[in-house]
Amino acid sequence: MTRPRILDLFCCEGGTSMGYHLAGFDVVGVDKEPQPRYPFEFHQADAFDYLAAHWQEFDAIAASPICQTWSRATEWRGSRSDHPDLLTPMLAALGELPVPWVVENVPEAATDGPLRPDYLLCGTQFGLRVKRHRVFQRGNWTGFELLPPCQCYRNPNLLAFEHKGERAFADALGCEWMTNLGGRQAIPPAYTEHIGRQLMAFLGADQVAAA
Ligand SMILES: C[S@@+](CC[C@H](N)C(=O)[O-])C[C@H]1O[C@@H](n2cnc3c(N)ncnc32)[C@H](O)[C@@H]1O
């Protein structure tokens, strides 16, 4: 059975990676910090250096550059300008490559920054008890699949913002293997499983991976 390989840059404890794994990819993660909870092949490295040296080994590339540069929540704890903008140079680096890619960030990276919102996903679209809006831009591929609408507004069953950092929050994302800190930073694997299934179909690999 051949599974396409996807490189997950800025992988942290692996929320993004788990979704691509569930969609049928073999996943390799890269983070500058050690990630003992990361559940797949892992390399501790700078994302830009690893991408430049290894991109040809992969069928697709995913990246989740740090979001503090764009997140409005950063303003409550300090200043956005205290954090380097890794999103803009990552989009530029990926734009030079011929492989399909997906970049994720907070919605403010699309309203205030350079990210094109090809997908805006919410946990309620996947039956999760979290809002966790996240935007994804894709490069060098197309895909489309309808989802139920976002229903987070006035939804009394959602975990509130102040629950971020608690065990229950990581579990609600679908990230039961993570630390609470990993859960604070993660996206729900359901998001990238959804996108990953479309990417698999684009690669023509869905039949192969399912065999
Ligand atoms: C928002 S988290 C990613 C969360 C992940 N997508 C998930 O769903 O679990 C961003 C990660 O980027 C890592 N990071 C920051 N700068 C980096 C760099 N230059 N190279 C590699 N990793 C970096 C941080 O250590 C952090 O783990």
Side-chain angles (χ1 to χ4, degrees), residues 1 21 36-37 62 66 72-74 83 93 99 127 132 147-149 199:
M1 184 171 84
H21 166 77
R37 297 288 182 106
I66 57 168
R72 293 204 184 106
T74 306
H83 303 275
V99 290
R132 207 54 148 192
L147 278 170
L199 181 52

Side-chain angles (χ1 to χ4, degrees), residues 78-97:
S79 169
R80 288 172 170 181
S81 58
D82 293 340
H83 303 275
D85 171 18
L86 301 186
L87 174 61
T88 303
M90 182 50 63
L91 287 169
L94 290 170
E96 297 290 318
L97 302 182

Side-chain angles (χ1 to χ4, degrees), residues 61-142:
I61 295 163
S64 313
I66 57 168
C67 61
Q68 290 90 338
T69 324
W70 306 104
S71 173
R72 293 204 184 106
T74 306
E75 297 292 344
W76 306 340
R77 293 185 284 264
S79 169
R80 288 172 170 181
S81 58
D82 293 340
H83 303 275
D85 171 18
L86 301 186
L87 174 61
T88 303
M90 182 50 63
L91 287 169
L94 290 170
E96 297 290 318
L97 302 182
V99 290
W101 51 263
V102 182
V103 172
E104 171 270 333
N105 220 278
V106 292
E108 299 95 304
T111 54
D112 306 352
L115 198 64
R116 190 182 66 215
D118 294 331
Y119 299 87
L120 169 58
L121 299 181
C122 170
T124 60
Q125 293 174 285
F126 300 90
L128 303 176
R129 290 179 58 223
V130 291
K131 182 173 167 182
R132 207 54 148 192
H133 286 176
R134 288 294 182 273
V135 164
F136 298 79
Q137 179 175 341
R138 61 178 174 231
N140 294 330
W141 68 285
T142 56

Side-chain angles (χ1 to χ4, degrees), residues 26-208:
D26 277 346
V27 188
V28 175
V30 170
D31 201 286
K32 69 173 186 172
E33 304 295 340
Q35 299 293 351
R37 297 288 182 106
Y38 185 75
F40 309 111
E41 179 182 334
F42 174 73
H43 299 273
Q44 185 178 359
D46 174 76
F48 292 89
D49 293 345
Y50 196 91
L51 179 67
H54 295 279
W55 69 267
Q56 287 168 305
E57 300 164 22
F58 295 91
D59 299 293
I61 295 163
S64 313
I66 57 168
C67 61
Q68 290 90 338
T69 324
W70 306 104
S71 173
R72 293 204 184 106
T74 306
E75 297 292 344
W76 306 340
R77 293 185 284 264
S79 169
R80 288 172 170 181
S81 58
D82 293 340
H83 303 275
D85 171 18
L86 301 186
L87 174 61
T88 303
M90 182 50 63
L91 287 169
L94 290 170
E96 297 290 318
L97 302 182
V99 290
W101 51 263
V102 182
V103 172
E104 171 270 333
N105 220 278
V106 292
E108 299 95 304
T111 54
D112 306 352
L115 198 64
R116 190 182 66 215
D118 294 331
Y119 299 87
L120 169 58
L121 299 181
C122 170
T124 60
Q125 293 174 285
F126 300 90
L128 303 176
R129 290 179 58 223
V130 291
K131 182 173 167 182
R132 207 54 148 192
H133 286 176
R134 288 294 182 273
V135 164
F136 298 79
Q137 179 175 341
R138 61 178 174 231
N140 294 330
W141 68 285
T142 56
F144 181 73
E145 190 178 318
L146 287 172
L147 278 170
C150 165
Q151 300 171 54
C152 65
Y153 301 101
R154 295 191 295 274
N155 186 328
N157 296 318
L158 297 186
L159 290 176
F161 184 79
E162 53 268 26
H163 293 294
K164 277 178 72 179
E166 295 176 5
R167 179 75 255 142
F169 191 81
D171 291 347
L173 295 174
C175 296
E176 295 83 359
W177 72 94
M178 289 188 180
T179 61
N180 297 4
L181 188 60
R184 281 182 77 102
Q185 302 197 62
I187 65 156
Y191 293 8
T192 42
E193 180 179 0
H194 171 74
I195 293 172
R197 289 189 187 284
Q198 297 167 58
L199 181 52
M200 285 290 263
F202 175 81
L203 292 169
D206 48 340
Q207 301 303 323
V208 180

